[in-house]
Amino acid sequence: MQFLTSLDTTLLRAINQSMANPLFDVLMPFMSGNTAFFPLLIVLATVAIKLGGTRGAFMVAMMALAVLIASNWVCAPLKELFMRPRPAMTLSDIRLLTGNGQGMTSLPSCHATNWGAMTVVAWLFYARTWRLMVPLALLVATSRVYLGVHYPSDVLAGLVIGGVTGWIVTHGLDKIWQAAGRLLFPSWWARRPSLLKAGPSSPPSNLAEASSVSWRHATWALLLILFATRLAYISSDVIGLSEDEAYQWMWSKHLDWAYYSKPPMIAWVQWLGTHLWGDTAFGVRFMSPVLALAFGIMVWLFLHRRTSEQCTFWVLAAISVTPLFAVGATLLTVDAPTVLFHTAAVLSVWIAIERKSYGWWIASGIAMALGFLSKFFSPFLWLGLLLFAWWTPDFRQRIGWKGPVTAFLLNALGTVPVILWNASHGWITATHLQERGGLDHVAGLNLEHLLTFLASIVALLNPVFCIAIAVVVWGFVRLKEKPPLWKFLFCSTIPVLLFYTLLACRAKAQPNWIAPVAPALFVFAALAWHARSQVNHALTKRFLVTGLVLGFPVVLFLHDTHLLTKAFGVTLSEKSDPLTRVRQGQPLAELVQKQMKILAREGPPVFIISDHYGRASLLNFYLPDAQRVLPEDQLSYVLNTDKPQNQYWFWPSYESRTGENAIFVMNTANPRKAPKQLVQDFSSVNSMGTFTLRSEGRAVGHVQLFACHGKNPPEPANPAPKKTEPSIEDDTAAGVALYSAHRFEEAVRHFQNVVRRSEQMLGPEHQQTLANRNNLANALNAMGRSAEAETEHGMVLAIRERLMGPDHAEVLMSRNNLATALLTQGKVTEAEAQYKITLRTRERLQGPDGFDVLKTCFALAACLEAQQKQAEALAWARRAETGWGSTLGPAHPATISARAARERIETSLKQNETAHGPEPGR
C-alpha cells in the first residue's frame, strides 16, 4: 500500500510539475471546464440524433441518464465514503492552477466518472466512437491531475467507475426494454426489439391498436416521471418559499372561510400538505405536483377520445415545457387549484352538453364551486356559456335549463363561505379587488402596462405555442363551419382574455391572472392542429418540435438559474434572476435571528415587525422560534396601519407587547428613515444598518434593520391631558432643531440640561440618555470643542458596548462618532484604528458591499488622506466608489462624493510622485 501511495504521488508530481509548460497551462484548464463545453455538447447531441435517428436519440438519452446516475448516485456517495483530501491540502509543492484545491472530496474524480460513463455508452451504441471518446476522456482525466485537484488514482478510479456504471445502465435498460417493451409499447418494440442492436422488425397484427396502446402508456409514463421529478425538486434545497407561499401558509395556520384577498381553498390545500409532511417547504408545496398530476390525467381523459393517444401525449409534453404550467406545478399558489378546478368545470360543462347528461351538470357545478373557493373565476365561465348559447342556437335545447340551474345553485353554494366572511369583515375583499384592479379611481389608457402584460403572457405561454394558438384563432375566425366544441372553448376563454386586457390598459395586471383559461386555449389549439395535421403534418410537427426545443431549456433553467453559470458561465444579476424572490427567506431569517440575539442582550424580549406581509410570513416560517409558537402566538408581525391592507390586520397585533424591544425589517438597498408609525410605537428607534441578503454567495435582496426599544403602551380611548412639563422626547426634538439651525452654542447648553434630566428620570444607561449624550457630543464637535466631544462619545461607546455587545449597530455608530471626534483633533492614527475596527465588524455582519461598510471605507480614506497615506487612501476611496456605483448607481450622491475623493487623491498622489517619486510599496 505504501508503494502504491508513493507511486500515486510521484505520478502526480510528474504530471503536475514536470509536464508543466505554457501550452498546457492554457489547454488543461480549458479541457477541465469551459463555457463552450455545454453548447458544444448540445450541438454534438443534435448531430448524433440527426444522423443516427432513433438509435442516436437512444444513445444521447442513455448517456444523459448514465452521467446523472454516475455523478449523483455513485460518485458523490463514494466521495463522502472515502473522504480523501485534495492533493493541495497535504502536499505543499503542488501547482494549483484553478479549481477546488480544498475539501475531502478527491476520490473519485467526478469529471473522470462522467467521461468514463459517456465513453462506454457511446462505444456500446457505435463501436468506432472509441477513437474520439477515449482520447477525450483521457485528456480530461489528465487535466484534473495537471491542475493539482486530483491524484492519478482518483481519475483512474473515476474512469473505471463511470465505465462500469455506463455499461450497467445501458445493458440494464436494454434488458428491461426487451422484457417489458412488448407489453407496454408494442408498436415501438416491434420496430426495435433491442435498444442497442437493430434487429428484425415484426409489425403487430393490429398496428393501429398497438400504436394507441404505446402512446397511451407513454402518456402515463410522462405524467408519472413529471410527478416524481417535481416531488424530487421540491424536496431539494434549490429554492425556498416565495413570499406568497409563506403568506398563504400563515393562512393555513388560521383556517377560516375566506381571507383578505382570496377565498379559502389555498389555505385548506396547504393545511393538508403540511399535516401530511410537516411545516417544511416540501409540506407546503406537496399538493402542487399532486394537483398537476390530476390536471394531466383530466386532460388525457378528455383529449384522447377526441383526438388520438399520440396527439394527447404531445399536448401534455407541450404543457410540461410551458413556463406558466411548469412553475404552477412546483410553486403552490392560488393558481394551482384554480387551474385544476376551472379546467374541470369547462370540460365537464362540455361533456354535459355533448351527452345531455344531468350528472355531468352536477359535476360541473361542484367544480365551479371548488373553483370559486380557489379564486373568483367561475363568473367568467357563465359568461362564456351564455355567449356560446347565443352564438349556437342549435345547442340551446341540448343545454336545457335543469342542468345549468343545478350547476348554478351548486356554484352559488360555493360562494356562501366567502360572502358570510366578508359580510362580517366589512366586505374587505371587494375593496381590495377594486383597488388591485385600479377600479377605485379614474384612469386613462396606459400602453406601457398593456404591452408589458401582453409580452409577459407570450413569454409565459411559450412564444412558439402562442404563435400556434394565434394561427388557430385566426383560422377559426375565418372558418365557415365552426365545430361546436371549438366554439365552446373559444367562448370560455374570450371573456377572461378581454377583461384582463382591458384591465391592463388602466392598471398593472399580472400575466398569471389568465392561467385558469390557458388549458382551454391549449385544448382548443390541440383540436385544431390535430385536424390540420391530417392535411399538413409537416407544419404541425415543425411548430411542436420548435416549441419543445425552445421550452425545455427555458423551463429547466427556470427551475435552477445557477445551471446557467455551470453550463455557460452566465450569471444573472439580482434583478434579472427570476428565482431571486424564492431565495430570500432563509438568508433573511438568519440575518434577523443574529441581530435579535444582539438586541436581546439588553434584557427585554425581542419580536419582529416587517414592512410587508410577505417578509413577515417568511420570518414566521423560517425562524424556528416563530414557527414554534404558531398559531397560539406570533413572533413576526406587519407594521400597524390605519386600515386593512393584508390578512395580518385581522390577527392579534403587537400592541400587547408593551415594554418589549423589536427589530423592524424594511426592504431597501439605501438607508431610509424609520416609518412614522414605528417611531410612534416605540420610545426610540435606531437604524442597525443596511444588509445584503446572499444565497450561495450571490446577492438576492437588501434590507435595512432598525432596533426598536421599549414598545409604548397602546393609547387609551380617551387619553389624559398632557402634562405642562415637556417630555424628554420633546426636549430632544427642540435640541435637534437648534443644531439643525446651526445654533450650536445654544444646542450645547440645551443638550447638557436634557442629559441631566434624562439621567435623573431614566437613568444614565437608558437609550434616550445615551442618544442625548451623543447629540451633545455632536454639538460640541460642531463648535470645535473636539476634546469634550471625544469624552462624551467615548462614554457612550463604553456603555453601549457593555450593554449591547461589540456587534450592535448603535455601538458601531458610536465608534464611528468617536473616530470622527479624534480625526477633528488631529489624532489620525487613533481615528484610523477605530474606523478599521468598525469596518471589520460591518464587513462580517453586512458583507463587503453593505452601504455602511462602504461609508466606513469612505471615512477611512479621508482619515488616511489626512495622514498623507495617499496610496492606501486611494484604495479605500476606489472601493467606496466601485461599491456604491454597482449598488446605488453612478449618479447617486454617495457615488459622486466617492468619485470626487478618488480623483482628488489621485491628483495629489501624482503631484507627490512627480516631486518625490512613488510612495513605498506602491
Side-chain angles (χ1 to χ4, degrees), residues 260-303:
Y260 171 80
S261 58
K262 298 289 188 300
M265 180 62 71
I266 184 62
W268 299 349
V269 170
Q270 283 212 19
W271 180 90
L272 178 59
T274 52
H275 273 67
L276 289 173
W277 303 103
D279 289 311
T280 62
F282 180 81
V284 169
R285 290 186 174 137
F286 172 71
M287 292 303 296
S288 189
V290 172
L291 295 173
L293 177 63
F295 168 77
I297 294 172
M298 181 175 61
V299 171
W300 170 73
L301 287 171
F302 185 84
L303 262 186

Side-chain angles (χ1 to χ4, degrees), residues 21-31 97 146:
N21 63 75
L23 175 61
F24 280 9
D25 284 353
V26 175
L27 176 63
M28 293 303 185
F30 181 83
M31 292 305 302
L97 271 70
Y146 185 88

Side-chain angles (χ1 to χ4, degrees), residues 101 254 352 381 424 427 429 452 539 639 850:
H254 303 80
L381 181 52
S424 62
W427 302 101
T429 305
T452 301
L539 183 60
L639 184 65

Side-chain angles (χ1 to χ4, degrees), residues 58-59 61-67 69 121 124-125 165-181 189 192-196:
F58 277 136
M59 182 191 73
M62 205 72 74
M63 288 173 74
L65 182 61
V67 167
I69 293 173
V121 171
L124 288 173
F125 276 91
T165 304
W167 191 93
I168 291 174
V169 169
T170 305
H171 278 283
L173 288 179
D174 187 47
K175 294 296 182 184
I176 293 172
W177 173 256
Q178 292 179 36
W189 183 89
R192 194 172 189 88
S194 171
L195 299 178
L196 290 172

